Amino acid sequence: MRFEYSRCEKRLMTAYLTVRSGPEKGRQFPLDRERPMHIGRGKSCEIMLTDPVSSRFHAVIYFEDGNWHLRDTSSRNGTLVNDQKTDHARMLSLHTITIGSTELQLIEPAGETSDDTSLTQTVSFELVKTEHWAGEDQDPIAQVASTGHLIDLYTLSLSLLRCENPDEVISTLIELLRDRTQADVVGISFDAGDGRLKPRRVEPPDAANLITIEKALVRRIVKEGEAVWINDPAKTNGSALSSADQLSGTDKRSGASKRSGIGKNDPWSDIIVAPIHCDDTNMGVLQLYRRDPNFSQSQFELTIAAARLLSIGLSRAFERDSLKADRRRIADRNADSDELVGSSAVMQKLKERIERVGKASGSVLIRGESGVGKELVARAVHRASLRSKRPMLTVNCAAIPHELIESQLFGHRKGSFTGADNDHIGWFQQAHTGTLFLDEVGELTLEGQAKLLRILEGHPFLPVGATEEVLVDVRVIAATNRDLAEFVREKRFREDLFYRLSVFELLVPPLRDRGDDIELLVGHFLDHFRRQHGRPLLAISDEARIRLLEYAWPGNVRQLRNVIDSAVVMADDPAIEADDLGLRDAGLSRLDTLRLDEWERRLIRKALERTGGNVPEAAGLLGISRATAYRKITEYEIDR
Ligand SMILES: Nc1ncnc2c1ncn2[C@@H]1O[C@H](COP(=O)(O)OP(=O)(O)OP(=O)(O)O)[C@@H](O)[C@H]1O
């Protein structure tokens, strides 16, 4: 198949060698007609290779009698041109030169070798087609010889990297192409799923019904993975492309009355259509239209390269979109979303402290009973920190056998102890530049504590069995439900480490002290488990709700979550009843302890909650003096 197009200008682009494989893959070496260009490992070679098979002066490429020539300069391992060993060869565009594992290809922009200045010439279809798409490995800019456009493509790549979603990717590309090619219309059409293309975005939008292309041409572009540039479409009308189905579906009249997408009546003098691929399947095409004057060769090349970048950008954006959707789905299914539910005075205060502590850089110690949400608080601190884009790794020190804690945290070398069959990169190294959450830090061995202390002091550490020290940058957040101060007194926990860890301390209050939060959490978990277990209409009876609100929750939020999870599964329609909760000791639980000090602590917390932390008012409610209230608040370590 041949298309004709007229050339409006003599092109002055240089030929160049592009490296298709080998150590220099992706590089391009412009060729100079005026002087021989040497290829080899030698420092004075214009085309310097690092391929070890290459000789210092391996070959030379030069321009003579209107052609490029390659001569092997007595290399040790020989030179192949188009896979044939050769001493001398006349080179044509797209010919390949192989030296060891390096493959170079000669790219001669159209018109470069010819001195013919006539303004009209016949160009074979192959001249204007792009190479077949070979996925993301293909160098998107391999065909672009214009330095200005290389910068455009560089800018475009940077913008595409920043784009969050497919629409942004498309807008960025259209904007750049309209500006650089002076196209009257730039459009992107996607396969509607039935082989027909539907415009996804056209600029300016009111030109959408003007950008039509013959179906046969689209089929060819899609099938062959080729871009085409059609100049003066009126000339091509009815030549090779007899089918004249509408591309955009805006005009579905049949037979002879069909208007060709590149027909006489179209206002365009130039059309470029480039395929867009996503994961090796065609998604659609990028279309550029111009009334006058014609596109240039470099604009055609720019469009091809931009379409390839678009393909990569879209693949990534679609992948990101689907990952986001997966994440949402998983978060929906999994109750442990990161949302810290609670609006009681104590929780509000805790959230404020989390924000402040997050911005600082010291270690954090989170204290609280089991199941209160310490890990969730740790996540919130990490999210509020400057490391939020880096990972937070969680290690439960109590879940690792004592004898392995050290090697798990700090790593070990293969063979350093029985069972060390492989090298292990410790958690600290894995969390480098991020955050490490050490849950149940009180369970750390004394040796582990000593190493942790050194890391917190900024020293490097030695993985087990290693000879070289490792230095890491990790923010440590530790949590415990133990009384670490008591551990220090018992010499089970190093005092110096205790102070290092607790640069910032966050106390997570037990659920029984959070007032209305119980109601919020009930709603939160109900919503979640109803969705997860596919029972969106399941209600909860008043009696069941009251029982939940009155229960003392010794197992804290985790217990509440588990109770609701199983109630949603076990309850018969239409509603969860009190018996479904499995809290048969609910009445007793209100008096779950008879210790006076515990009840005093609870009452003081309750009074502070009601008064929004106002001690004199709380003292009034409790019927005690202010001084007693202050003393007891300090004694019981109550967070106001
Ligand atoms: N404020 C909250 N909002 C929503 N969910 C919460 C909240 N607090 C805790 N949870 C949920 O309760 C469960 C227990 O929380 P988490 O594991 O953070 O507690 P913990 O104090 O670290 O427990 P442990 O002491 O056993 O390590 C988790 O499923 C968590 O998502």
Side-chain angles (χ1 to χ4, degrees):
M1 184 186 293
R2 291 168 79 82
F3 285 98
E4 287 187 351
Y5 73 92
S6 57
R7 261 184 342 150
C8 298
E9 58 187 352
K10 182 168 183 263
R11 299 179 187 90
L12 292 174
M13 283 174 301
T14 39
Y16 59 98
L17 288 179
T18 179
V19 185
R20 295 271 177 226
S21 63
E24 275 78 35
K25 183 173 174 200
R27 284 195 63 186
Q28 291 170 354
F29 299 96
L31 298 178
D32 187 343
R33 287 180 177 199
E34 308 303 325
R35 61 189 179 124
M37 312 276 290
H38 296 88
I39 308 174
R41 278 192 299 110
K43 286 207 171 63
S44 56
C45 286
E46 288 81 359
I47 299 165
M48 206 177 114
L49 304 179
T50 51
D51 196 310
V53 173
S54 158
S55 300
R56 277 175 8 90
F57 287 96
H58 198 104
V60 62
I61 186 161
Y62 56 97
F63 193 76
E64 199 175 279
D65 300 327
N67 284 297
W68 288 101
H69 295 261
L70 181 96
R71 189 160 44 78
D72 182 283
T73 45
S74 310
S75 70
R76 180 175 303 174
N77 297 306
T79 306
L80 308 183
V81 170
N82 293 340
D83 297 322
Q84 297 286 319
K85 190 153 188 207
T86 186
D87 288 334
H88 170 259
R90 187 165 74 93
M91 301 289 299
L92 297 177
S93 190
L94 302 183
H95 277 184
T96 57
I97 304 166
T98 311
I99 294 172
S101 64
T102 303
E103 189 183 80
L104 302 116
Q105 187 171 41
L106 175 66
I107 305 292
E108 251 188 319
E112 139 90 342
T113 55
S114 166
D115 288 335
D116 174 10
T117 53
S118 71
L119 290 181
T120 306
Q121 70 171 170
T122 301
V123 182
S124 72
F125 184 79
E126 280 69 27
L127 237 179
V128 292
K129 80 180 184 186
T130 67
E131 285 175 27
H132 289 264
W133 176 258
E136 290 191 10
D137 286 346
Q138 187 165 352
D139 179 358
I141 57 170
Q143 306 256 323
V144 178
S146 154
T147 318
H149 287 331
L150 284 176
I151 292 169
D152 288 338
L153 288 168
Y154 172 68
T155 316
L156 180 64
S157 313
L158 288 183
S159 315
L160 292 186
L161 279 175
R162 276 189 224 112
C163 288
E164 282 289 313
N165 62 50
D167 287 329
E168 259 181 75
V169 170
I170 290 172
S171 304
T172 306
L173 176 110
I174 288 186
E175 206 177 299
L176 179 121
L177 281 182
R178 280 201 80 193
D179 185 62
R180 301 300 195 275
T181 63
Q182 291 89 47
D184 293 299
V185 179
V186 177
I188 285 176
S189 302
F190 281 168
D191 190 325
D194 55 3
R196 281 153 31 96
L197 293 177
K198 283 240 164 67
R200 162 86 177 239
R201 175 86 189 272
V202 178
E203 278 304 323
D206 56 9
N209 59 351
L210 290 178
I211 58 160
T212 53
I213 312 174
E214 289 182 349
K215 201 169 180 178
L217 178 58
V218 171
R219 267 202 301 272
R220 166 143 199 147
I221 294 166
V222 167
K223 185 161 165 264
E224 312 269 321
E226 295 166 346
V228 292
W229 171 14
I230 305 154
N231 181 265
D232 192 359
K235 286 185 193 168
T236 64
N237 187 31
S239 59
L241 304 162
S242 53
S243 163
D245 289 355
Q246 289 292 311
L247 172 71
S248 69
T250 51
D251 183 353
K252 295 204 182 71
R253 281 168 293 151
S254 61
S257 62
K258 278 180 189 166
R259 199 193 67 188
S260 163
I262 46 175
K264 286 186 199 117
N265 301 331
D266 281 345
W268 318 119
S269 72
D270 245 3
I271 302 176
I272 294 175
V273 188
I276 305 168
H277 288 81
C278 211
D279 297 330
D280 283 344
T281 45
N282 182 273
M283 277 183 57
V285 293
L286 167 66
Q287 299 144 265
L288 271 67
Y289 298 79
R290 198 145 124 173
R291 291 190 180 88
D292 200 49
N294 296 337
F295 289 117
S296 68
Q297 173 73 23
S298 68
Q299 288 169 340
F300 177 53
E301 288 166 1
L302 172 69
T303 307
I304 294 167
R308 287 178 180 167
L309 284 177
L310 175 68
S311 302
I312 296 169
L314 281 178
S315 297
R316 297 267 153 91
F318 285 132
E319 203 174 294
R320 215 173 12 234
D321 260 10
S322 98
L323 283 177
K324 269 192 202 157
D326 282 353
R327 201 169 58 197
R328 263 197 308 273
R329 242 192 339 267
I330 291 167
D332 270 358
R333 252 192 262 135
N334 182 353
D336 298 327
S337 75
D338 279 350
E339 190 189 346
L340 200 55
V341 176
S343 60
S344 59
V346 274
M347 282 305 278
Q348 277 181 29
K349 209 159 162 193
L350 178 64
K351 286 179 185 177
E352 276 167 33
R353 296 202 59 191
I354 288 172
E355 287 304 311
R356 245 174 288 144
V357 166
K359 301 282 175 293
S361 57
S363 311
V364 186
L365 181 65
I366 303 173
R367 292 195 297 119
E369 292 175 15
S370 184
V372 281
K374 295 187 291 296
E375 182 169 349
L376 223 52
V377 168
R379 293 196 176 285
V381 171
H382 174 70
R383 264 200 317 279
S385 76
L386 294 174
R387 296 169 187 257
S388 61
K389 295 276 182 289
R390 305 290 306 142
M392 177 179 120
L393 300 188
T394 297
V395 185
N396 186 338
C397 300
I400 308 174
H402 270 205
E403 61 279 14
L404 288 183
I405 280 189
E406 214 184 321
S407 86
Q408 290 297 305
L409 285 178
F410 309 107
H412 63 244
R413 292 286 168 266
K414 183 179 173 179
S416 52
F417 54 89
T418 318
D421 297 334
N422 290 302
D423 282 356
H424 168 70
I425 309 277
W427 290 98
F428 266 101
Q429 262 177 285
Q430 291 184 38
H432 182 52
T433 71
T435 301
L436 186 62
F437 175 52
L438 296 178
D439 202 0
E440 310 212 24
V441 70
E443 308 308 313
L444 213 53
T445 57
L446 285 170
E447 296 79 40
Q449 291 177 28
K451 277 198 171 174
L452 176 57
L453 181 66
R454 278 185 60 74
I455 293 177
L456 295 179
E457 284 171 340
H459 298 297
F461 63 90
L462 201 60
V464 180
T467 47
E468 261 181 56
E469 288 195 316
V470 176
L471 185 63
V472 290
D473 163 25
V474 172
R475 184 179 197 190
V476 172
I477 302 180
T480 183
N481 52 22
R482 308 291 203 123
D483 184 351
L484 272 196
E486 181 64 30
F487 273 29
V488 169
R489 278 192 292 278
E490 291 169 5
K491 306 247 176 294
R492 289 166 63 187
F493 204 85
R494 292 179 66 120
E495 190 174 12
D496 41 10
L497 178 61
F498 175 61
Y499 289 117
R500 271 273 167 194
L501 277 178
S502 50
V503 175
F504 299 105
E505 237 185 80
L506 295 172
L507 182 68
V508 189
L511 185 54
R512 60 185 170 277
D513 290 344
R514 295 195 211 163
D516 294 345
D517 282 0
I518 298 183
E519 189 145 20
L520 284 181
L521 283 160
V522 167
H524 172 74
F525 289 129
L526 258 180
D527 260 8
H528 178 78
F529 287 114
R530 277 194 291 225
R531 243 179 298 141
Q532 190 184 77
H533 299 306
R535 306 192 66 183
L537 301 177
L538 188 69
I540 181 163
S541 72
D542 287 346
E543 200 195 329
R545 193 178 285 278
I546 290 168
R547 178 128 351 143
L548 288 171
L549 298 183
E550 290 199 336
Y551 192 69
W553 300 110
N556 288 298
V557 188
R558 178 179 293 114
Q559 186 191 10
L560 171 60
R561 172 186 179 271
N562 293 344
V563 163
I564 292 180
D565 184 4
S566 82
V568 171
V569 174
M570 302 307 289
D572 293 325
D573 282 333
I576 297 173
E577 297 297 338
D579 280 352
D580 298 321
L581 301 172
L583 297 173
R584 300 194 198 288
D585 58 345
L588 259 187
S589 67
R590 277 190 260 171
L591 284 176
D592 57 330
T593 173
L594 297 177
R595 287 184 61 110
L596 256 178
D597 57 351
E598 178 57 29
W599 280 100
E600 242 182 22
R601 181 184 281 125
R602 288 184 193 177
L603 286 170
I604 294 170
R605 282 200 178 118
K606 199 83 187 165
L608 284 169
E609 207 178 283
R610 285 205 192 154
T611 58
N614 185 319
V615 180
E617 276 182 39
L621 284 180
L622 292 163
I624 55 177
S625 71
R626 287 179 194 190
T628 310
Y630 278 115
R631 185 171 48 75
K632 290 205 179 275
I633 286 169
T634 314
E635 188 183 327
Y636 293 139
E637 295 184 347
I638 293 172
D639 215 21
R640 286 189 272 139

